[in-house]
Amino acid sequence: MKEGNTSGFREAGGHYEKRYGEYSVAVYETLKTSKGNKYSYYRCTVPAGVRRYMERIEIIPREITGKTLEELDEKLGYVFRLDGGSPYFRRPDVTVGEYAWDWYEKHEGMWTPRTRKNYCRVIRNHIEKDLGSIRVCELTSSMVDTFLIGKLVHYHRRSVRQMKSVLNSIMQSAVLDAMALRNPVRTKLPRCPRFEAPILQRRDFRAFHEAARRSKYYGAIEAQFHTGCRISEIIGLTWDEIDFERGTIHINQQYQDGGLCETKTMQHRELKSCLNGALRRILLEQKQLQEAEAEWMGGKWNNPLNLVFTNHLGGALNYQKVEEEIVAIGKELGISGFTSHCLRRTYASHRMALTGDLALVQKELGHDHPSTTLQYIGVVEEQQKMYDLKMNEYWRDIIESSGTVC
């Protein structure tokens, strides 16, 4: 046996021992012959996970080897994940949420800042929220399919595909760590009937504006209604981007994770016709309100980003609370499934009905492809009635010109 190792192992009756948290590991030196050369390596067996069978939990053994004690110590330190107590993999009650964040912390150094933000958002807003309380070893394919189908109802297929990709990577890592017997995430997304997000018709406008006026986020909600911007872009809107003289608003950034960043599609756009009488009045009222709040709060007021819509201290609005307020307005109007995304669809549908210019609507919404914009456009009832009347007149003219009595 070699002496003077620096890995903290102690000799004990023909082998080495070292304690990791609550678990003591016995390491044995083994001689091996390869191509006529003899060399030694170190090996040990540790419990690498749990397998649930009926009501019984079985420990899964795992052999770890290393050419030196230092190498073996490094591998054991990774396996046990010493965070102040017992080995991570000996806990059969580890949930998907706990393991997802452990996976994120282990890999975040390998990603770009944008990827890190996207993965963090997926874990926080979707995986932890809907699957976080389920044990890793008990997650099934049917649970994953139910989760993904629920997301397909309210989110674009590309967004759900990203959620599936993150969950797949997490569960694949869980399999390698012997936390799960197999990866329950299927190769393809489950099929789901297409959900058409509702839009506001003209008859709903008055009730919507009255309900929005009673909200403390009145300005932000009305701004999204009049511009069709994403709610994160409205929260990140600054006074520098509004030109009252030219009547334009520049959308160059959005507010996410405590700061301003590029928009979702990284497209800068200029909205030229949105500063109409109603929105101009709302923004001027918001400016007066901010000045009054800043004077009232004194030194506590802090708006370093010069944001248009702020809380009473000058900080940015909370995305989730604004979203919840819009959902509550939809319920008050009797519209199920109404979200901030529906306000974007409302803007796109009425803008398309008025202009008939798909390229213009695509540019104003900030989409990369016109096919995405087409998915936002719904049926405006007033426009449909007008086209129905024109169609009836068209057929009546044909019938009369052909001498056919109808």
Side-chain angles (χ1 to χ4, degrees):
M1 300 183 71
K2 297 182 180 181
E3 298 180 356
N5 75 84
T6 60
S7 301
F9 288 94
R10 65 180 182 85
E11 297 183 12
H15 65 275
Y16 294 98
E17 284 186 358
K18 185 176 179 180
R19 180 170 291 276
Y20 293 86
E22 299 174 351
Y23 192 79
S24 180
V25 178
V27 178
Y28 296 89
E29 185 176 7
T30 304
L31 293 176
K32 185 175 181 180
T33 303
S34 176
K35 297 181 180 180
N37 298 322
K38 292 184 177 181
Y39 65 93
S40 62
Y41 69 98
Y42 301 89
R43 63 179 176 82
C44 63
T45 302
V46 297
V50 294
R51 177 188 293 115
R52 183 175 294 277
Y53 178 74
M54 301 296 285
E55 296 298 325
R56 186 173 73 254
I57 295 178
E58 300 177 352
I59 302 297
I60 304 172
R62 175 181 179 183
E63 185 177 73
I64 300 177
T65 62
K67 294 181 181 179
T68 63
L69 285 173
E70 288 78 8
E71 179 183 347
L72 188 64
D73 181 57
E74 183 179 353
K75 291 182 178 179
L76 287 171
Y78 166 76
V79 169
F80 277 89
R81 290 180 178 84
L82 289 178
D83 55 356
S86 58
Y88 185 91
F89 51 73
R90 292 183 63 200
R91 295 162 49 198
D93 60 337
V94 174
T95 63
V96 174
E98 293 171 340
Y99 189 81
W101 286 117
D102 180 79
W103 171 85
Y104 175 83
E105 292 171 2
K106 185 171 69 176
H107 293 88
E108 63 176 333
M110 304 163 54
W111 304 323
T112 63
R114 185 178 181 84
T115 301
R116 231 177 3 250
K117 285 185 179 181
N118 290 337
Y119 282 15
C120 178
R121 193 177 305 115
V122 168
I123 294 175
R124 181 179 63 245
N125 296 339
H126 303 289
I127 295 177
E128 184 180 36
K129 185 176 179 181
D130 297 332
L131 301 175
S133 60
I134 302 174
R135 296 177 180 178
V136 174
C137 57
E138 295 179 347
L139 187 65
T140 63
S141 296
S142 60
M143 293 178 183
V144 175
D145 287 348
T146 302
F147 163 73
L148 294 175
I149 289 174
K151 298 302 177 181
L152 282 169
V153 170
H154 298 290
Y155 294 90
H156 193 277
R157 198 169 183 85
R158 284 200 298 269
S159 300
V160 180
R161 194 175 288 116
Q162 185 188 41
M163 298 177 201
K164 184 187 81 70
S165 175
V166 175
L167 182 59
N168 179 66
S169 298
I170 292 171
M171 293 310 300
Q172 189 63 36
S173 177
V175 171
L176 294 177
D177 285 348
M179 293 295 298
L181 294 179
R182 64 183 183 84
N183 188 349
V185 183
R186 303 182 195 272
T187 306
K188 296 182 179 180
L189 284 177
R191 292 190 176 184
C192 175
R194 184 168 179 79
F195 171 76
E196 291 292 341
I199 67 170
L200 295 175
Q201 301 295 339
R202 289 190 62 179
R203 65 174 183 272
D204 303 320
F205 285 178
R206 179 181 293 275
F208 171 80
H209 293 309
E210 290 176 354
R213 182 169 285 278
R214 293 191 292 272
S215 170
K216 63 180 179 180
Y217 304 116
Y218 166 67
I221 295 173
E222 286 288 353
Q224 189 188 22
F225 175 85
H226 287 283
T227 62
C229 294
R230 302 176 181 90
I231 196 66
S232 58
E233 295 170 346
I234 295 296
I235 295 175
L237 185 65
T238 64
W239 289 112
D240 301 330
E241 297 173 324
I242 301 175
D243 189 340
F244 287 101
E245 294 182 2
R246 296 178 55 204
T248 60
I249 296 178
H250 295 267
I251 304 298
N252 303 321
Q253 57 199 359
Q254 63 180 351
Y255 187 89
Q256 279 188 350
D257 300 324
L260 296 175
C261 61
E262 284 282 354
T263 60
K264 183 178 180 181
T265 54
M266 297 187 179
Q267 291 190 6
H268 297 179
R269 57 195 193 274
E270 183 181 49
L271 306 179
K272 297 183 178 181
S273 60
C274 60
L275 271 183
N276 50 38
L279 184 57
R280 178 184 291 270
R281 175 182 53 79
I282 291 170
L283 291 175
L284 291 175
E285 288 178 357
Q286 176 64 22
K287 198 169 188 63
Q288 293 175 359
L289 177 63
Q290 270 194 353
E291 293 173 354
E293 287 181 336
E295 183 179 355
W296 175 260
M297 297 306 299
K300 295 182 179 179
W301 176 265
N302 184 26
N303 184 15
L305 300 177
N306 199 25
L307 297 175
V308 175
F309 303 105
T310 57
N311 57 28
H312 66 288
L313 295 175
L317 299 181
N318 184 285
Y319 178 95
Q320 293 296 334
K321 290 185 178 179
V322 177
E323 184 72 37
E324 290 171 1
E325 195 74 14
I326 295 175
V327 171
I329 291 175
K331 290 181 179 178
E332 183 178 339
L333 299 179
I335 304 175
S336 60
F338 192 80
T339 64
S340 62
H341 188 72
C342 300
L343 289 180
R344 272 171 66 77
R345 293 193 74 244
T346 297
Y347 178 87
S349 302
H350 288 272
R351 188 70 166 154
M352 186 66 184
L354 289 173
T355 65
D357 191 339
L358 179 61
L360 174 64
V361 179
Q362 175 191 346
K363 181 180 178 181
E364 291 182 339
L365 292 183
H367 288 154
D368 286 328
H369 306 287
S371 59
T372 306
T373 307
L374 284 172
Q375 296 175 3
Y376 277 62
I377 297 173
V379 177
V380 178
E381 292 181 357
E382 290 77 7
Q383 201 77 6
Q384 184 180 17
K385 291 177 181 177
M386 182 182 69
Y387 289 140
D388 289 343
L389 290 174
K390 288 185 177 181
M391 196 67 180
N392 290 335
E393 293 176 1
Y394 173 79
W395 286 118
R396 186 167 60 249
D397 292 342
I398 291 179
I399 291 173
E400 290 176 354
S401 64
S402 63
T404 306
V405 178
C406 185

